[in-house]
Amino acid sequence: MIELVNITKKYAGQEEPAVKGLNLLVRDGESCVLVGPSGCGKSTTLRMINRLIEPTAGTVLIDGKDIRETDPDRLRMGIGYVIQQIGLLPHRTVAENIAIVPRLYGWPKDKIRERTDELLELIGLDPETTRHKYPAQLSGGQMQRVGVARAMAVDPPIMLMDEPFGAVDPIARNHLQDEFLRLQSVMRKTICFVTHDINEAIKMGDQIAILDRGELVQHGSPLEILSNPANDFVCDFIGYDRVVKKLSLCRAGSISRKDFCLIRESELPAAAKKMEEQRAEVSFLVDGKGVPRGMLTAKWLKDNGSAFTPKELKALASQGHKGFIQEDTLLRDALSLLLELDLDYLGVLKGETLCGAVSMADIRQYASGKEGD
Amino acid sequence: MSTISFFMDNIAFISKYAAAHFSLIFTAVIISLLLWLPVGVLVSRSERLANAVLGIANTLYCIPSLALFSFLVTIPAFGLGRKSALLALVIYAMMPLVRNVYQGIKVVDKNVIEAARGMGMNSWRILREIQLPLAAPVIFAGFRITVVMTTGVAAIAAFIGEKNLGRLITVGMNGYNVDMIVTGALLISLIAILLDTILGFFERLIIPRGLRIHRG
Ligand SMILES: Nc1ncnc2c1ncn2[C@@H]1O[C@H](COP(=O)(O)OP(=O)(O)OP(=O)(O)O)[C@@H](O)[C@H]1O
Ligand SMILES: [Mg+2]
């Protein structure tokens, strides 16, 4: 647990402090993203947690203990630190770079070697071919990975990451973020993560702390912040697509409804009746193996249904044959598909089987709801 | 031709002069390294100290060697001879050595140092394992300049009584012995060029492997 209590930092010669009276709590196993425009004091805040900078006033506590009670080098050895520029030692191999902190702890050689290989595997680099390379022989993305691996070498419970994926192209960044989230879901480290990219904050943070000119303007979960921005600054910082961003926090499975019914091709003429009986708003056409082939909505049938022959009904139902998503699809992507296919409903699949339906109205309701009810 | 026969006829005392020359170079360079390398490291810790020390080094470096030798011999504690010669050489070595150590350490990527500090390396370890290895090529370049410069300036110490290869020139000048002058001038030049070439070879070896690799 990291606690910042009333932290202020004023650099020599500065009129306005870089960080003003900041209070922040990061719970164990939680990742807190510090986000804000350039110069708002994110890096300063982060570097006060491992004493690379001493605050002008205030206290930083780790697990309830004032960090000033620990020798700075000792303190830092126990906290993973990743920076945007990575800072790999250019004259040391990948393995030697990863071994830095284990060596400070005096681990035996074979233990270090084992751990190095384990970490290289973990971050998706082949130990055989990468171990003896020098940083100059790596791509930007590979260097970032090595930087992260190096910070995790002794498995520290706390990681401080200052724009760790800032130096790579967007595609590589996305990939690194996904991989890191996958690791974090297992490791459950306490993480302080700095970025100036709100999308990265939303993606990476359990909690987001928005800073503006050295002050904390809002602290909360991504959903809280996107649902209730504290002020105009936060609104502007999030951008006009605030609601669409919110849709990327929720997966289709969690808002899908169960009031749908399944119909076979032979049942098409009786679809309206079946749906009425089952009080379903939508029915999905499935083939003999249960594979979805299309859909019909109650509203649509009510308006036009009786006028069509079974063959025409099948053709119409088939128009929705692409309208199926997996339950872990983000609502943002679901919305995009609804718009693209011009449908009112999407079928939600769990693997091969239909498990629910999501409507345009459901998404609208989620988007406008406060606090994600 | 007569130069060669002069050299052959006098090889005994010429080699004595050469030995004295080398011993002066060697002693001066050793003392300079022991003194100026730590000073270079020290001033890299503080910008203000660095400015002051490098300013002094620069000023001293500007003093013409003949003038510096002359000043020193007037100081009773030094007088004519080796003490003054050594002191002058060590003073001249300050500039290339301190400056190169300082610059070598300063140009090490700040981010590398920040990352190392952030991982819990102490300053001593950072100096030993990061700054010095990465600064080694620049420091070595300063060492190379020092050796070559010392070879030349040591010859001028013949004016204040050093019996080294420079003496072939001073004595040769007095009696206008052309063969003697040429022998002295040639030998001093050859030694300087030879030392520089040898050190140049080592300079390439001292670049850390990771830095010798270029991308592509
Ligand atoms: N060592 C320093 N000395 C003086 N002022 C500093 C120092 N470091 C940072 N500052 C100032 O403090 C403020 C906050 O800097 P900080 O590096 O924390 O910003 P940041 O939020 O990390 O910005 P960025 O997104 O650009 O990295 C800035 O105005 C900066 O100019
Ligand atoms: Mg920053």
Side-chain angles (χ1 to χ4, degrees):
Chain A
M1 191 171 65
I2 309 171
E3 266 175 287
L4 277 63
V5 186
N6 249 319
I7 290 288
T8 295
K9 174 66 192 182
K10 196 168 171 181
Y11 288 106
Q14 225 176 15
E15 299 217 336
E16 282 291 296
V19 175
K20 276 180 262 186
L22 180 64
N23 286 291
L24 194 65
L25 180 79
V26 186
R27 288 183 201 81
D28 283 337
E30 181 181 277
S31 62
C32 175
V33 180
L34 301 174
V35 65
S38 183
C40 69
K42 306 179 293 287
S43 301
T44 304
T45 305
L46 198 71
R47 300 167 86 223
M48 285 191 282
I49 299 174
N50 64 1
R51 294 188 68 185
L52 284 174
I53 297 176
E54 299 288 350
T56 315
T59 321
V60 179
L61 304 163
I62 289 182
D63 296 331
K65 191 174 164 214
D66 189 336
I67 57 170
R68 278 170 297 193
E69 288 169 23
T70 315
D71 167 71
D73 291 328
R74 273 272 141 197
L75 178 79
R76 293 176 200 140
M77 279 162 67
I79 300 178
Y81 186 49
V82 188
I83 55 176
Q84 177 178 352
Q85 304 81 358
I86 318 170
L88 295 179
L89 312 195
H91 59 308
R92 296 287 179 81
T93 62
V94 166
E96 287 167 339
N97 265 285
I98 295 177
I100 291 174
V101 184
R103 274 182 53 225
L104 295 178
Y105 276 103
W107 284 16
K109 275 212 172 64
D110 43 346
K111 185 177 172 193
I112 293 182
R113 207 196 129 92
E114 211 174 283
R115 179 64 180 153
T116 308
D117 286 358
E118 186 189 356
L119 280 164
L120 285 173
E121 300 254 4
L122 197 67
I123 57 165
L125 295 176
D126 174 28
E128 283 314 315
T129 54
T130 318
R131 205 187 286 135
H132 299 297
K133 281 193 177 163
Y134 285 95
Q137 294 167 302
L138 302 178
S139 72
Q142 289 171 330
M143 283 197 247
Q144 295 279 9
R145 282 159 210 255
V146 174
V148 173
R150 183 172 71 169
M152 299 194 307
V154 295
D155 204 12
I158 295 177
M159 302 261 288
L160 306 178
M161 311 177 83
D162 195 339
E163 308 204 24
F165 310 133
V168 289
D169 63 86
I171 294 172
R173 184 180 316 146
N174 224 323
H175 196 65
L176 286 168
Q177 289 167 342
D178 290 339
E179 277 178 69
F180 190 75
L181 284 174
R182 182 173 52 77
L183 289 177
Q184 168 64 357
S185 68
V186 185
M187 303 183 304
R188 292 266 125 222
K189 290 188 184 299
T190 309
I191 296 174
C192 250
F193 190 109
V194 164
T195 177
H196 56 252
D197 175 2
I198 184 71
N199 292 315
E200 186 168 57
I202 292 167
K203 184 169 178 185
M204 304 304 286
D206 297 324
Q207 294 283 308
I208 296 178
I210 301 184
L211 299 180
D212 178 27
R213 278 167 290 168
E215 282 176 296
L216 183 66
V217 286
Q218 191 169 11
H219 182 208
S221 70
L223 188 58
E224 281 161 6
I225 285 180
L226 290 176
S227 304
N228 301 313
N231 58 21
D232 290 347
F233 171 80
V234 177
C235 260
D236 285 348
F237 191 69
I238 295 171
Y240 286 124
D241 59 344
R242 179 169 68 82
V243 172
V244 176
K245 282 183 173 133
K246 194 170 156 188
L247 295 182
S248 65
L249 293 175
C250 181
R251 297 183 186 278
S254 57
I255 64 158
S256 68
R257 51 169 76 214
K258 304 291 171 214
D259 53 351
F260 65 94
C261 66
L262 298 180
I263 48 171
R264 299 296 182 90
E265 198 179 323
S266 56
E267 295 173 304
L268 272 173
K273 198 157 158 271
K274 189 169 177 185
M275 281 158 75
E276 202 169 322
E277 277 167 20
Q278 299 194 6
R279 295 175 175 281
E281 290 292 313
V282 60
S283 59
F284 297 114
L285 175 66
V286 292
D287 67 10
K289 292 178 189 133
V291 178
R293 294 294 181 200
M295 67 181 74
L296 289 169
T297 65
K299 179 170 170 292
W300 186 83
L301 278 178
K302 206 182 292 162
D303 295 349
N304 314 290
S306 49
F308 291 102
T309 65
K311 205 174 159 201
E312 282 168 328
L313 272 175
K314 190 192 170 199
L316 282 162
S318 306
Q319 284 177 0
H321 77 281
K322 283 187 184 162
F324 295 89
I325 52 175
Q326 287 294 327
E327 59 171 357
D328 64 354
T329 305
L330 296 176
L331 287 191
R332 188 191 57 196
D333 300 336
L335 175 67
S336 172
L337 196 64
L338 279 170
L339 295 172
E340 179 188 335
L341 302 176
D342 195 16
L343 294 172
D344 289 318
Y345 281 88
L346 292 176
V348 179
L349 299 167
K350 182 173 194 161
E352 299 275 279
T353 44
L354 266 164
C355 65
V358 167
S359 72
M360 197 67 155
D362 297 335
I363 293 180
R364 188 181 302 130
Q365 195 195 341
Y366 173 84
S368 60
K370 300 271 177 187
E371 298 294 85
D373 43 18
Chain B
M1 274 333 253
S2 56
T3 307
I4 292 176
S5 56
F6 172 86
F7 178 76
M8 290 309 198
D9 295 344
N10 300 288
I11 196 141
F13 82 88
I14 291 178
S15 50
K16 242 179 27 206
Y17 283 179
H21 206 118
F22 274 116
S23 97
L24 182 60
I25 297 173
F26 188 75
T27 323
V29 168
I30 293 291
I31 295 174
S32 301
L33 287 177
L34 291 178
L35 187 64
W36 301 131
L37 294 189
V39 170
V41 171
L42 197 74
V43 301
S44 69
R45 300 277 138 137
S46 142
E47 211 64 41
R48 271 179 43 208
L49 192 62
N51 284 336
V53 172
L54 289 174
I56 295 171
N58 210 23
T59 309
L60 291 172
Y61 191 74
C62 290
I63 304 174
S65 44
L66 211 49
L68 185 59
F69 282 125
S70 314
F71 283 133
L72 291 177
V73 292
T74 61
I75 302 171
F78 293 100
L80 282 171
R82 180 138 288 202
K83 271 196 214 155
S84 295
L86 271 180
L87 183 62
L89 292 176
V90 171
I91 285 173
Y92 282 124
M94 180 178 186
M95 160 77 172
L97 286 179
V98 175
R99 184 196 56 192
N100 280 42
V101 172
Y102 170 78
Q103 279 181 350
I105 289 179
K106 276 289 145 180
V107 298
V108 173
D109 186 350
K110 292 261 182 318
N111 297 308
V112 173
I113 306 296
E114 153 132 7
R117 244 166 40 91
M119 285 185 288
M121 281 178 113
N122 60 33
S123 347
W124 169 240
R125 242 189 140 109
I126 289 175
L127 178 70
R128 210 185 47 197
E129 293 189 15
I130 301 175
Q131 291 172 313
L132 289 181
L134 291 178
V138 181
I139 296 175
F140 196 87
F143 171 66
R144 187 174 160 192
I145 295 168
T146 304
V147 169
V148 173
M149 180 191 68
T150 305
T151 307
V153 180
I156 302 173
F159 278 105
I160 58 167
E162 269 293 312
K163 293 193 170 45
N164 63 25
L165 294 172
R167 194 170 160 84
L168 291 176
I169 298 173
T170 53
V171 173
M173 288 283 186
N174 282 339
Y176 202 65
N177 182 339
V178 175
D179 291 330
M180 198 182 218
I181 297 172
V182 172
T183 306
L186 270 178
L187 282 178
I188 295 163
S189 309
L190 272 176
I191 290 172
I193 293 167
L194 196 73
L195 287 174
D196 186 60
T197 311
I198 295 171
L199 292 177
F201 175 73
F202 282 109
E203 195 173 315
R204 255 171 291 145
L205 294 187
I206 213 163
I207 302 174
R209 258 193 71 195
L211 299 188
R212 266 183 274 160
I213 295 159
H214 289 288
R215 316 198 62 178

